[in-house]
Amino acid sequence: MSLIPSTLRAGETITIPVTLTALPPPDWSLTLILRGPDQIDLVSAPDGAAHTFSAAAAITSEWAAGKYWWSLRATMGTTVVIVEEGQLVVLGDLALVAGPHDGSSHAERVLRAIEAVIEGRASIDQQKYTIAGRELWRTPVADLLLLRSRYRDEVRREQQAGRKGQSLLGRVIKARFL
């Protein structure tokens, strides 16, 4: 399991505690380097036995949304150790969106388009026609139904994955005491 979350939201206060028993503060300091649509460097503050990354909402609201590659680095003097690397997504700050907004995923938008084509085809029986020497072939309805089924499954998977840990209320928190 990664020490760094897979998503962050711009415009939200973040606090990420990281405990590394082999690299304790204050001897070691941690830097979280994010590169993607923006360049973001966060330096941890010692918090007992943990390193804690913090950023206020006013700071994160300026972060560009998108996919970022990150590197978690520990430093003691001139010694630098890469602890972990990965990718995360910074979600946009909805408070900054002016006008209409469609937050649908790619799969949701494609599913709507496929269903619109199927609906439009319900009253058209030609699969192909020719005008002035040019031919137009329509996607067979069986292929559209197969595509719709695949995208419905993808949307269902996204929705099920999105339900895990989205709410602060009613979330299951597992702990193990040694």
Side-chain angles (χ1 to χ4, degrees), residues 108-122 144 147-149 151-152:
E108 290 169 324
R109 290 189 307 271
V110 172
L111 178 59
R112 280 197 309 262
I114 291 167
E115 288 176 338
V117 170
I118 291 170
E119 186 175 325
R121 291 284 303 278
L144 290 170
L147 279 172
R148 180 178 69 174
S149 176
Y151 275 94
R152 276 184 174 169

Side-chain angles (χ1 to χ4, degrees), residues 2 9 24 26 37 158:
S2 177
R9 180 167 299 279
E158 287 176 353

Side-chain angles (χ1 to χ4, degrees), residues 173-178:
I173 299 173
K174 297 179 181 181
R176 189 170 94 190
F177 298 95
L178 303 175

